Amino acid sequence: MASSSSESPDELATAVGRYVLGDLSLGRAAEAAGLSRWEFEEVLEDAGFTSLYGPRTDDQLQREIDVALDLDE
């Protein structure tokens, strides 16, 4: 099991829920939970969820494209 979070159990549950719903990226959800990305992935696995990488919605994909295009300028 992942090491304990510095955040409350409610904040951890909220971070997991927002990640699963696609509201937060893996890194942002881990940060919100007060865990490292790897610790958060372990929490997800313990809860029966699989970590997803990359954009999960059209809006997320468009934001990543926009950032990449800005880097090219």
Side-chain angles (χ1 to χ4, degrees):
M1 173 122 209
S3 62
S4 62
S5 166
S6 60
E7 303 296 328
S8 75
D10 287 343
E11 289 169 323
L12 177 60
T14 298
V16 168
R18 290 188 67 199
Y19 172 76
V20 170
L21 292 173
D23 291 340
L24 292 176
S25 68
L26 182 66
R28 296 276 185 213
E31 184 178 281
L35 299 172
S36 73
R37 187 188 77 116
W38 297 275
E39 290 170 324
F40 191 73
E41 282 186 289
E42 193 172 322
V43 168
L44 290 173
E45 288 175 15
D46 290 347
F49 296 106
T50 302
S51 301
L52 303 171
Y53 300 96
R56 293 165 50 185
T57 66
D58 289 343
D59 288 340
Q60 290 173 349
L61 176 59
Q62 188 59 54
R63 280 192 299 262
E64 287 195 18
I65 291 169
D66 292 343
V67 168
L69 290 172
D70 285 344
L71 292 174
D72 190 40
E73 294 178 355

